[in-house]
Amino acid sequence: KRQAVKNVSFDIGEGEMVGFIGPNGAGKSTTIKMLSGILYPDSGSLRVAGYVPYRQRKEYVARIGVVFGQKSQLQWDLPVLDSFELLKAIYRIPEETYRRNLDRYTEMLNMGGFLNPVRQLSLGQRMRADIVAALLHSPRIVFFDEPTIGVDVMGKEVIRSFLRELNEKEGLTMIFTTHDMQDIEKTCRRLLIIDDGSKVYDGSLEGIKSR
């Protein structure tokens, strides 16, 4: 047997934007999947915003957003707007909230020109659409697992600026896993490093640079 995550413990405050990094196989995605309620821990305790994610999954997922860079929640053969409408129905988003979020986020991410079928989008365009999809229902906590993977330099900068603005202006709590250190440097003030399933650092970006 191999333990994917071992005795990892941390607290994240409301409105924090935390970079969660480590090498391949370190346990990052497993931790994110536990925090988002997809997996349940074999031992220990886990609580997010007052919920136990894997026990109160239905109520909990209505209050969080999740973006997996390698797994889209968009419908492959449908226009992006159709996927958004489907999510509106699933989350029962009021029309006014849906329209406000859709207009604002698509404008901030420069998406006006590519709301066509998902299979016709570039990777960078699809990632931006996936980010909007995760935010339409106004979650207060968002998990990003490799949201800029394969995205070109310009696309990455658009995504980073968007996430910074959401965090600063709306106080969204964000956990951000990535292998691109520029993603972390340009968005996060706090860094969590995990290796071989264990936490090896929890502190400021400046602190890890000085070490």
Side-chain angles (χ1 to χ4, degrees), residues 2-131:
R2 182 175 183 274
Q3 283 184 289
V5 178
K6 312 167 192 172
N7 301 318
V8 171
S9 179
F10 56 84
D11 293 299
I12 293 175
E14 185 175 355
E16 279 197 272
M17 194 167 187
V18 179
F20 188 50
I21 68 170
N24 287 328
K28 302 185 302 299
S29 291
T30 299
T31 303
I32 292 296
K33 287 174 181 175
M34 287 192 291
L35 290 170
S36 57
I38 295 171
L39 298 178
Y40 64 89
D42 295 309
S43 62
S45 62
L46 178 65
R47 188 172 292 273
V48 185
Y51 293 91
V52 178
Y54 56 96
R55 287 184 185 152
Q56 299 163 285
R57 182 163 168 73
K58 189 172 182 179
E59 300 91 338
Y60 175 65
V61 296
R63 291 163 173 79
I64 66 167
V66 183
V67 178
F68 290 108
Q70 300 190 54
K71 187 173 179 61
S72 178
Q73 62 179 315
L74 305 171
Q75 303 300 309
W76 187 247
D77 289 314
L78 296 180
V80 173
L81 277 175
D82 285 4
S83 287
F84 290 168
E85 289 284 345
L86 178 60
L87 290 167
K88 174 190 172 187
I90 290 171
Y91 284 100
R92 299 177 182 175
I93 307 170
E95 178 66 32
E96 184 180 347
T97 302
Y98 170 76
R99 185 55 54 186
R100 182 181 65 245
N101 288 344
L102 177 64
D103 292 346
R104 182 173 177 226
Y105 297 150
T106 54
E107 181 181 355
M108 290 171 70
L109 285 167
N110 303 321
M111 286 180 56
F114 56 82
L115 294 175
N116 44 318
V118 173
R119 57 184 164 76
Q120 296 177 7
L121 302 181
S122 70
L123 183 55
Q125 291 172 335
R126 182 182 65 74
M127 282 311 311
R128 281 183 256 179
D130 261 309
I131 290 170

Side-chain angles (χ1 to χ4, degrees), residues 164-182:
R164 277 198 309 269
E165 185 170 342
L166 277 189
N167 177 253
E168 290 167 5
K169 292 187 176 180
E170 298 187 13
L172 261 65
T173 305
M174 301 186 188
I175 301 178
F176 201 124
T177 77
T178 180
H179 286 290
D180 188 332
M181 277 307 297
Q182 284 198 12

Side-chain angles (χ1 to χ4, degrees), residues 133-145:
L135 296 170
L136 286 172
H137 60 292
S138 302
R140 299 304 303 162
I141 302 168
V142 189
F143 301 100
F144 295 98
D145 190 12

